[in-house]
Amino acid sequence: MAEVVAERHSPASEEGTGNVFPTAVSEEQLQEAREKFQKRIFGSSRVFLEVDSNPHRRSTFEDIVQDKLTEHYERGLQCLSQGEWEKAVISFSKAINLCPEKIQLYVKRAEAFLQLCDFQSAALNLQKACSITHPLQEHTELLAFTYYLQGQSLFDQMCLLDALESFTRATEIQPQNRQYHMRSICCLAALGRYTDCIRLLNKQLEEEQGNPELYIVRARLYDSINKATLTYHDVQKALAMDPEHREALRIKEKLMTTAAEAKVKAVNYAVQGQLQEALRKISFALENNPSSAEYHIFRGTVYARLKDFSAAVDDFVQAMQLCSAESGDGRQGLQLYTEAEKQLLLTYNNFAVHCYMKGFYQEGVLLLNKALKGERNKKELYINRGDCLFQLGELAFALADYQQALELDEGDWGIRIRVAKLLDEMGLQAQQLRQYQQAERHFSEAILKHPLLPQLYLHRARLRRSLRNNMDAQEDAVISILLNPRSDEAVPTMMNFFAGISLDEIINSKLADSALCVLEKNLINIPVEWKESIHSMREQVDGATIRTEIDIAICMSDQELTEMSQRQSSNKRSRQP
């Protein structure tokens, strides 16, 4: 432009143009005017005066900003080292204004805020630093620690919910840091949120199962919500890792003492017949000491007395398992195991008897099968299973059980009644099928087993009369009358077999003498006490039953069995030919 202006004001130009620009000035004049203007505006500063005159000394805008940035940053670091935290914050803030993408500036300002205990501002600065680029591990750790410090400060001020939020954020950033988890748990515990505490501890234990302290903490929490059994198990786990752990031993001793006191009360209630209260106390004892085989046995017996047989079985089985697991207890453990096994067999049997009374014969058989697996020398178990099989119509299997019981005790009156009754039933079934010889054989075997049951002779008498064996039929009929002259069947029997003859005439007849001889012959092999129960056959023979002492419940007593047999005999008369 200057060249153009100079060219326009050259003499040659003026000559050629006829002095077109009369006001034109020279280049020297322009430069002089320019310098005067700059001096008037910028004063004595030479920065801008020398920009054009010396290009090598020019500074760019970026250089200026960088210099100022460095100046503020270094001043901030100096303030940090001298403990001037507010000035450090101001310096780093000025630097951030010049370069808001510089991560280190936010980190350093966060450090200054931490020193001022302004945790919220420190966290915001660290969040900004982590958001600019992919966060460094040291920055995330510092952010988590900041939240931890903030939470601890709030916790000390009893701002529990806010403290919990801070600890939770720290945990989310560093889930592997156990300290942060524990502080969250402390907050929840202080708030009474024990279930949430336990949930957090469960997660922690999934990753750190070998730490006994965690189990102790959870045990205390369980104790706070009255979960004694879970408390016990956590204490046991802690002791398995550290047998000398003082806190674990203290908690266990407390549980054992509470359990022992509850057991004493349970025994007192049981003696007084207050079974429900006894059950409540022994259950409480087991909550505090679930590994006690003795307590399980006691509760099982209470359940059995309350006829809750399923629960009783569970307790006895648990007691046996505990005794087996703690085989090192020696003699006491063996005694407890033997007692639990004995009570289990009794419970199976009593449960089966209960099922029998309710008509659940198949279930009774299954229970007695379990009992017989553990004890094969108890006749009552065979008797009861035979009774159930008898009711199910499994006569052959029932007979096998009765005979097995009879082998264990030849003199048991009740077993002979059952065998005789079963053979009698088999005889009646064979008679219905017109298998007369087999029916007579069954009746005769039944009489040999129990010669004092009048219905056996009556059934054989009717069969023999149908076979035209009248003499033997009348003899059996007389024996049935002699054994029970007051029965409902005595009069019909006399009318069928001795029409027009009175009872006295029959008793005093030669046929009666012959019948008595047959009866006495049948009584040769029976026990002496049975013979002593027979009083004046010609006056009255009642067919009285002899009870034997047993220590296991049976489905039917001897008297009940005899009465049932007599009722069934009366009901079956219509079936006889």
Side-chain angles (χ1 to χ4, degrees), residues 379 406 408-416 527 529-530 546 548:
K379 62 180 180 180
L406 197 58
L408 294 172
D409 188 357
E410 288 284 346
D412 190 293
W413 178 271
I415 301 174
R416 286 182 174 269
E529 59 270 19
W530 292 13
I546 307 272
T548 57

Side-chain angles (χ1 to χ4, degrees), residues 340-354:
E341 185 179 35
K342 175 185 175 183
Q343 293 297 331
L344 177 62
L345 297 178
L346 288 173
T347 303
Y348 278 139
N349 178 78
N350 294 339
F351 199 179
V353 172
H354 180 73

